[in-house]
Amino acid sequence: MVKVEKFINESIGKIRDDVNGRAIIALSGGVDSSVCAVLANRAIGDLLTPIYIDTGLMRKGETENIKRIFSDMNLQVIDGKEYFLNVLKGLTDPEKKRKAIGQAFIRVFEEEARKLDVKYLIQGTIYPDRIESEGGIKSHHNVGGLPSVIDFEGIIEPLADLYKDEVREVARALDLPREISDRMPFPGPGLAVRIIGGVTEEKLEVVREANAIVEEELLEQFGPWQTFAALIEKGTGVKGDMRVHGWIIAVRAVQSRDGMTAEAMELPWETLRKIESRITSEIPNVSRVLYDLTPKPPGTIEFE
Ligand code: XMP
């Protein structure tokens, strides 16, 4: 604990020394950017503007949660829902989707930064990000690599030497709520990589609702490393006495140490049945629910 307190005090001091003007941070709601925002806010107060982009690819309730948790900061919430849907229009290839989302993030963020006349960028890059960005099977999109157009006077990365577990410890010491400090990983491109192929508003709504049900049923009770719902395609089913052509939802729940390998969790049958029954009854246009048994490798954790 002493080490954590020391890290917090030193980081705040260092940010205060290094930042000499307005600064921004892209706040995603993940633990890294949240911790950075709190440290920077303690260091420079209202000189920091955290920017949160609501891409429409977020989980249920995410934007409201962020607004509530960071209500004492100078937070700017940008509604990018239409823009991101537009950017994704017609794209079905996973890597093209990732790239388009990454570029859209940069564009929106830079536009806001320009309006604010900021000089400094604060980023939640952690130690493994630096390693990963050198290799990488997927073009992992994070808001890293941002400063392409804007000439920042300084880029500050207070967490650059920390591992994820250490960031979580700092988050707890900073009194961030557990929903942030203990949060499971969520991909930067959000629900877009949990929809196979093209992204539409309808598919987003379905996968968002299904995901919320899966989290409710599994997160607290089974402590998975990661769990979520993905939307596969359409399939035929029967609801009432009508044949329906409804969405197929896959449920994923894995244990893993670092995301590099993973095992599907062995869940009780009645839990799986309850998830199936909730998803098919609470979301009208879903006709089928599958449970993914595939370990990584040969699968990946996400579906795209
Ligand atoms: P995969 O699917 O490659 O996922 O087995 C391993 C871990 O990485 C997350 N993931 C991503 N994170 N941008 C991210 O920031 C991405 O494009 C991305 N793709 C996968 C995934 O959720 C898992 O934790």
Side-chain angles (χ1 to χ4, degrees):
M1 203 37 150
V2 175
K3 245 179 73 193
V4 175
E5 294 300 339
K6 187 164 172 265
F7 171 83
I8 291 173
N9 291 330
E10 285 179 2
S11 306
I12 292 174
K14 198 163 177 331
I15 297 170
R16 215 171 266 153
D17 289 344
D18 291 349
V19 176
N20 193 11
R22 300 198 73 82
I24 43 168
I25 180 167
L27 187 65
S28 68
V31 63
D32 306 340
S33 63
S34 299
V35 165
C36 260
V38 175
L39 290 174
N41 180 255
R42 291 203 185 167
I44 58 169
D46 275 354
L47 279 179
L48 175 78
T49 306
I51 293 181
Y52 167 82
I53 305 169
D54 181 358
T55 58
L57 309 172
M58 319 301 287
R59 282 168 290 186
K60 193 173 175 181
E62 184 107 42
T63 300
E64 291 69 29
N65 283 342
I66 302 265
K67 282 187 189 160
R68 178 175 44 78
I69 294 166
F70 297 97
S71 62
D72 56 346
M73 290 191 197
N74 192 14
L75 176 70
Q76 289 221 12
V77 177
I78 312 292
D79 182 357
K81 292 196 277 288
E82 228 183 282
Y83 179 61
F84 277 77
L85 255 189
N86 240 331
V87 155
L88 282 165
K89 206 169 255 169
L91 297 184
T92 53
D93 176 77
E95 287 305 277
K96 287 195 178 134
K97 284 163 69 180
R98 274 194 175 77
K99 290 238 160 65
I101 293 166
Q103 279 164 6
F105 257 110
I106 294 173
R107 183 168 281 173
V108 175
F109 191 73
E110 280 181 342
E111 200 179 308
E112 294 308 313
R114 251 188 244 120
K115 286 185 206 157
L116 288 170
D117 185 31
V118 286
K119 294 200 168 60
Y120 295 87
L121 173 70
I122 298 178
Q123 291 199 125
T125 317
I126 65 171
Y127 185 68
D129 294 339
R130 295 198 275 155
I131 314 273
E132 257 173 47
S133 56
E134 283 159 22
I137 297 167
K138 292 174 184 175
S139 60
H140 270 223
H141 144 75
N142 272 322
V143 191
L146 259 177
S148 58
V149 174
I150 295 181
D151 231 357
F152 290 106
E153 264 174 43
I155 295 165
I156 290 149
E157 299 184 324
L159 312 179
D161 294 325
L162 300 194
Y163 282 95
K164 198 70 157 194
D165 287 353
E166 297 172 311
V167 181
R168 293 193 196 282
E169 249 184 89
V170 176
R172 286 188 278 268
L174 289 171
D175 281 334
L176 275 160
R178 264 193 58 209
E179 57 187 287
I180 300 256
S181 64
D182 297 354
R183 171 164 272 186
M184 63 179 164
F186 183 65
L191 299 176
V193 292
R194 294 179 178 173
I195 291 171
I196 294 186
V199 175
T200 65
E201 211 165 344
E202 186 202 350
K203 290 186 195 174
L204 277 168
E205 259 166 48
V206 169
V207 82
R208 190 172 3 251
E209 283 305 316
N211 193 70
I213 294 171
V214 170
E215 285 194 14
E216 267 171 45
E217 296 298 329
L218 298 183
L219 215 45
E220 284 291 318
Q221 212 182 334
F222 296 96
W225 192 80
Q226 206 169 356
T227 188
F228 58 86
L231 185 147
I232 310 289
E233 239 306 328
K234 277 197 166 175
T236 301
V238 186
K239 283 201 171 181
D241 43 17
M242 296 272 286
R243 272 170 84 86
V244 291
H245 199 215
W247 297 109
I248 305 172
I249 290 290
V251 176
R252 189 91 166 118
V254 297
Q255 287 301 11
S256 173
R257 227 168 51 87
D258 52 13
M260 301 300 283
T261 59
E263 281 296 331
M265 286 179 81
E266 207 171 309
L267 294 173
W269 185 245
E270 66 265 29
T271 303
L272 290 169
R273 287 300 305 270
K274 183 169 179 210
I275 292 173
E276 169 276 309
S277 138
R278 280 196 61 191
I279 291 177
T280 50
S281 62
E282 291 174 31
I283 313 173
N285 41 353
V286 174
S287 61
R288 236 165 247 263
V289 177
L290 319 177
Y291 184 59
D292 185 359
L293 304 176
T294 325
K296 173 183 179 176
T300 51
I301 295 177
E302 303 292 344
F303 279 67
E304 283 204 330

Short mmCIF file of all heavy atoms in Angstrom, two decimals, residues 98 138-142 185-189 193-194 225-226 259 296 299-304, ligand 1:
data_model
loop_
_atom_site.label_atom_id
_atom_site.label_comp_id
_atom_site.label_asym_id
_atom_site.label_seq_id
_atom_site.Cartn_x
_atom_site.Cartn_y
_atom_site.Cartn_z
N ARG A 98 -11.99 -2.36 -37.54
CA ARG A 98 -11.10 -1.84 -36.49
C ARG A 98 -10.41 -0.54 -36.92
O ARG A 98 -10.35 0.42 -36.18
CB ARG A 98 -10.02 -2.87 -36.17
CG ARG A 98 -10.43 -3.88 -35.15
CD ARG A 98 -9.22 -4.65 -34.65
NE ARG A 98 -9.62 -5.54 -33.58
CZ ARG A 98 -10.24 -6.70 -33.76
NH1 ARG A 98 -10.55 -7.11 -34.98
NH2 ARG A 98 -10.58 -7.45 -32.73
N LYS A 138 -3.81 -8.80 -34.19
CA LYS A 138 -4.88 -7.91 -34.64
C LYS A 138 -4.37 -6.48 -34.51
O LYS A 138 -3.52 -6.21 -33.67
CB LYS A 138 -6.09 -8.03 -33.72
CG LYS A 138 -6.79 -9.35 -33.82
CD LYS A 138 -7.88 -9.41 -32.78
CE LYS A 138 -8.55 -10.77 -32.78
NZ LYS A 138 -9.51 -10.90 -31.71
N SER A 139 -4.90 -5.59 -35.32
CA SER A 139 -4.51 -4.20 -35.16
C SER A 139 -5.28 -3.66 -33.97
O SER A 139 -6.33 -3.07 -34.12
CB SER A 139 -4.84 -3.41 -36.40
OG SER A 139 -6.22 -3.48 -36.64
N HIS A 140 -4.77 -3.93 -32.78
CA HIS A 140 -5.47 -3.51 -31.58
C HIS A 140 -5.66 -2.02 -31.57
O HIS A 140 -4.70 -1.27 -31.61
CB HIS A 140 -4.69 -3.93 -30.33
CG HIS A 140 -5.11 -5.28 -29.87
ND1 HIS A 140 -5.32 -5.59 -28.56
CD2 HIS A 140 -5.39 -6.38 -30.57
CE1 HIS A 140 -5.70 -6.86 -28.48
NE2 HIS A 140 -5.74 -7.35 -29.69
N HIS A 141 -6.91 -1.63 -31.54
CA HIS A 141 -7.12 -0.21 -31.52
C HIS A 141 -7.27 0.24 -30.07
O HIS A 141 -8.09 -0.23 -29.33
CB HIS A 141 -8.38 0.15 -32.29
CG HIS A 141 -9.11 1.26 -31.66
ND1 HIS A 141 -8.65 2.54 -31.78
CD2 HIS A 141 -10.14 1.29 -30.84
CE1 HIS A 141 -9.41 3.30 -31.05
NE2 HIS A 141 -10.33 2.57 -30.47
N ASN A 142 -6.42 1.12 -29.67
CA ASN A 142 -6.65 1.87 -28.45
C ASN A 142 -6.46 3.31 -28.89
O ASN A 142 -6.10 3.56 -30.02
CB ASN A 142 -5.65 1.50 -27.36
CG ASN A 142 -6.17 0.33 -26.55
OD1 ASN A 142 -7.37 0.25 -26.29
ND2 ASN A 142 -5.30 -0.57 -26.18
N PRO A 185 -11.62 -6.84 -19.28
CA PRO A 185 -11.21 -6.13 -20.49
C PRO A 185 -12.39 -5.93 -21.43
O PRO A 185 -13.30 -6.78 -21.50
CB PRO A 185 -10.19 -7.08 -21.14
CG PRO A 185 -9.85 -8.09 -20.12
CD PRO A 185 -10.95 -8.14 -19.12
N PHE A 186 -12.38 -4.81 -22.11
CA PHE A 186 -13.41 -4.53 -23.14
C PHE A 186 -12.66 -3.97 -24.34
O PHE A 186 -11.87 -3.04 -24.19
CB PHE A 186 -14.43 -3.53 -22.59
CG PHE A 186 -15.56 -3.25 -23.55
CD1 PHE A 186 -16.45 -4.25 -23.90
CD2 PHE A 186 -15.74 -1.99 -24.11
CE1 PHE A 186 -17.50 -4.00 -24.78
CE2 PHE A 186 -16.78 -1.73 -24.98
CZ PHE A 186 -17.66 -2.74 -25.33
N PRO A 187 -12.88 -4.53 -25.53
CA PRO A 187 -12.08 -4.09 -26.66
C PRO A 187 -12.34 -2.64 -27.05
O PRO A 187 -13.49 -2.18 -26.97
CB PRO A 187 -12.51 -5.03 -27.79
CG PRO A 187 -13.82 -5.59 -27.36
CD PRO A 187 -13.84 -5.58 -25.86
N GLY A 188 -11.30 -1.95 -27.46
CA GLY A 188 -11.43 -0.56 -27.90
C GLY A 188 -12.53 -0.36 -28.95
O GLY A 188 -13.31 0.59 -28.84
N PRO A 189 -12.63 -1.23 -29.97
CA PRO A 189 -13.69 -1.04 -30.97
C PRO A 189 -15.07 -1.45 -30.47
O PRO A 189 -16.03 -1.43 -31.23
CB PRO A 189 -13.25 -1.95 -32.12
CG PRO A 189 -11.89 -2.41 -31.80
CD PRO A 189 -11.71 -2.31 -30.33
N VAL A 193 -16.85 -5.38 -32.68
CA VAL A 193 -16.18 -6.66 -32.94
C VAL A 193 -16.94 -7.83 -32.31
O VAL A 193 -16.47 -8.96 -32.31
CB VAL A 193 -14.69 -6.66 -32.52
CG1 VAL A 193 -13.89 -5.75 -33.41
CG2 VAL A 193 -14.50 -6.31 -31.05
N ARG A 194 -18.11 -7.52 -31.77
CA ARG A 194 -18.97 -8.60 -31.25
C ARG A 194 -20.19 -8.76 -32.14
O ARG A 194 -21.18 -9.38 -31.76
CB ARG A 194 -19.37 -8.30 -29.81
CG ARG A 194 -18.13 -8.36 -28.94
CD ARG A 194 -18.37 -8.07 -27.51
NE ARG A 194 -17.11 -8.22 -26.79
CZ ARG A 194 -16.94 -7.92 -25.52
NH1 ARG A 194 -17.96 -7.44 -24.83
NH2 ARG A 194 -15.79 -8.07 -24.94
N TRP A 225 -12.85 -14.34 -16.42
CA TRP A 225 -11.84 -13.35 -16.81
C TRP A 225 -12.47 -12.38 -17.80
O TRP A 225 -12.23 -11.19 -17.76
CB TRP A 225 -10.64 -14.07 -17.45
CG TRP A 225 -9.47 -13.19 -17.63
CD1 TRP A 225 -8.56 -12.85 -16.67
CD2 TRP A 225 -9.07 -12.52 -18.82
NE1 TRP A 225 -7.62 -11.99 -17.22
CE2 TRP A 225 -7.90 -11.79 -18.53
CE3 TRP A 225 -9.58 -12.47 -20.13
CZ2 TRP A 225 -7.25 -11.02 -19.48
CZ3 TRP A 225 -8.92 -11.70 -21.08
CH2 TRP A 225 -7.78 -10.98 -20.75
N GLN A 226 -13.32 -12.95 -18.67
CA GLN A 226 -14.08 -12.12 -19.61
C GLN A 226 -15.35 -12.85 -20.01
O GLN A 226 -15.33 -14.07 -20.20
CB GLN A 226 -13.22 -11.84 -20.84
CG GLN A 226 -13.58 -10.55 -21.55
CD GLN A 226 -12.55 -10.14 -22.61
OE1 GLN A 226 -11.52 -10.78 -22.78
NE2 GLN A 226 -12.84 -9.08 -23.33
N GLY A 259 -5.01 -13.14 -21.48
CA GLY A 259 -5.67 -12.96 -22.77
C GLY A 259 -4.95 -13.65 -23.93
O GLY A 259 -5.49 -13.74 -25.02
N LYS A 296 -8.76 -20.75 -26.60
CA LYS A 296 -7.84 -19.97 -27.44
C LYS A 296 -6.43 -20.50 -27.19
O LYS A 296 -5.99 -20.45 -26.04
CB LYS A 296 -7.91 -18.50 -27.05
CG LYS A 296 -6.84 -17.64 -27.76
CD LYS A 296 -6.86 -16.20 -27.33
CE LYS A 296 -5.77 -15.41 -28.05
NZ LYS A 296 -5.80 -13.98 -27.74
N GLY A 299 -9.44 -20.84 -31.12
CA GLY A 299 -10.31 -19.66 -31.27
C GLY A 299 -9.58 -18.43 -30.77
O GLY A 299 -8.43 -18.51 -30.32
N THR A 300 -10.23 -17.29 -30.83
CA THR A 300 -9.75 -16.11 -30.12
C THR A 300 -10.82 -15.83 -29.08
O THR A 300 -11.86 -16.50 -29.06
CB THR A 300 -9.56 -14.90 -31.05
OG1 THR A 300 -10.77 -14.72 -31.79
CG2 THR A 300 -8.39 -15.08 -31.97
N ILE A 301 -10.59 -14.85 -28.23
CA ILE A 301 -11.60 -14.54 -27.22
C ILE A 301 -12.78 -13.84 -27.90
O ILE A 301 -13.94 -14.26 -27.76
CB ILE A 301 -11.01 -13.71 -26.07
CG1 ILE A 301 -9.96 -14.56 -25.34
CG2 ILE A 301 -12.12 -13.26 -25.12
CD1 ILE A 301 -9.24 -13.85 -24.21
N GLU A 302 -12.49 -12.79 -28.63
CA GLU A 302 -13.55 -12.10 -29.38
C GLU A 302 -13.89 -12.93 -30.63
O GLU A 302 -13.13 -13.83 -31.00
CB GLU A 302 -13.09 -10.70 -29.80
CG GLU A 302 -12.65 -9.80 -28.66
CD GLU A 302 -13.80 -9.38 -27.74
OE1 GLU A 302 -14.97 -9.54 -28.13
OE2 GLU A 302 -13.51 -8.93 -26.61
N PHE A 303 -15.00 -12.57 -31.29
CA PHE A 303 -15.41 -13.32 -32.48
C PHE A 303 -14.81 -12.75 -33.76
O PHE A 303 -14.90 -13.36 -34.82
CB PHE A 303 -16.94 -13.39 -32.57
CG PHE A 303 -17.51 -14.45 -31.68
CD1 PHE A 303 -17.43 -14.34 -30.32
CD2 PHE A 303 -18.09 -15.58 -32.23
CE1 PHE A 303 -17.92 -15.32 -29.48
CE2 PHE A 303 -18.59 -16.58 -31.41
CZ PHE A 303 -18.50 -16.45 -30.03
N GLU A 304 -14.27 -11.56 -33.68
CA GLU A 304 -13.65 -10.99 -34.88
C GLU A 304 -12.24 -10.57 -34.55
O GLU A 304 -11.93 -10.22 -33.41
CB GLU A 304 -14.44 -9.77 -35.37
CG GLU A 304 -15.71 -10.16 -36.08
CD GLU A 304 -16.19 -9.06 -37.05
OE1 GLU A 304 -15.92 -7.89 -36.76
OE2 GLU A 304 -16.77 -9.40 -38.07
P1 XMP B 1 -8.58 -11.98 -28.77
O1 XMP B 1 -9.94 -11.87 -29.38
O2 XMP B 1 -7.48 -11.51 -29.67
O3 XMP B 1 -8.59 -10.98 -27.52
O4 XMP B 1 -8.31 -13.35 -28.22
C1 XMP B 1 -7.59 -10.90 -26.53
C2 XMP B 1 -7.96 -9.74 -25.63
O5 XMP B 1 -7.87 -8.51 -26.36
C3 XMP B 1 -9.13 -7.86 -26.42
N1 XMP B 1 -9.26 -7.33 -27.78
C4 XMP B 1 -9.07 -6.04 -28.10
N2 XMP B 1 -8.77 -4.97 -27.33
N3 XMP B 1 -8.83 -3.61 -29.23
C5 XMP B 1 -8.65 -3.75 -27.91
O6 XMP B 1 -8.40 -2.75 -27.24
C6 XMP B 1 -9.12 -4.63 -30.08
O7 XMP B 1 -9.26 -4.45 -31.29
C7 XMP B 1 -9.26 -5.91 -29.47
N4 XMP B 1 -9.52 -7.14 -29.96
C8 XMP B 1 -9.53 -7.98 -28.90
C9 XMP B 1 -10.16 -8.92 -26.11
O8 XMP B 1 -11.34 -8.36 -25.57
C10 XMP B 1 -9.41 -9.79 -25.13
O9 XMP B 1 -9.44 -9.26 -23.83
#
